[in-house]
């Protein structure tokens, strides 16, 4: 992996994280998928710190999805204040 530009590595990690956030139908499934994705990436030579960095970058973004037919803000923020 060292010969790959850093942006390619981050893009690969980002794709896995986005997929987990957009395709899982519950918090439990999302958590399990992110753990699985992290392990898959680490097993393939990605650094845990890089995976964590990209995952944390997404944690601050509002990710909207349908859960039990209700549109919710996946990362709960108080937008009223």
């Amino acid at each position: 992996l060292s010969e790959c530009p850093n942006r390619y590595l981050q893009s690969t990690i980002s794709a896995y994280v986005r997929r987990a956030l957009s395709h899982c139908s519950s918090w439990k499934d999302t958590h399990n998928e992110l753990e699985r994705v992290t392990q898959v990436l680490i097993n393939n030579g990605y650094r845990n710190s890089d995976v964590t960095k990209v995952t944390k970058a997404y944690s601050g973004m509002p990710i909207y999805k349908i859960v039990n037919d209700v549109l919710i803000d996946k990362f709960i923020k108080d937008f009223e204040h």
Side-chain angles (χ1 to χ4, degrees):
L1 291 174
S2 62
E3 63 274 356
C4 294
N6 194 38
R7 68 180 184 265
Y8 291 175
L9 300 176
Q10 288 186 341
S11 179
T12 300
I13 297 167
S14 181
Y16 275 101
V17 171
R18 278 194 322 269
R19 181 188 170 282
L21 294 172
S22 66
H23 285 68
C24 295
S25 60
S26 71
W27 280 105
K28 182 180 178 185
D29 291 342
T30 302
H31 176 73
N32 290 340
E33 182 65 9
L34 286 171
E35 284 185 342
R36 187 192 70 78
V37 162
T38 299
Q39 192 58 56
V40 166
L41 291 167
I42 290 170
N43 290 349
N44 283 283
Y46 290 82
R47 292 188 310 239
N48 189 32
S49 60
D50 290 336
V51 176
T52 301
K53 178 180 167 186
V54 173
T55 303
K56 282 186 178 182
Y58 277 94
S59 71
M61 296 178 165
I63 305 293
Y64 296 98
K65 50 193 301 194
I66 302 296
V67 177
N68 297 325
D69 298 320
V70 178
L71 184 64
I72 62 169
D73 181 1
K74 187 162 180 149
F75 296 100
I76 299 170
K77 291 186 177 183
D78 186 4
F79 291 109
E80 297 177 358
H81 291 26

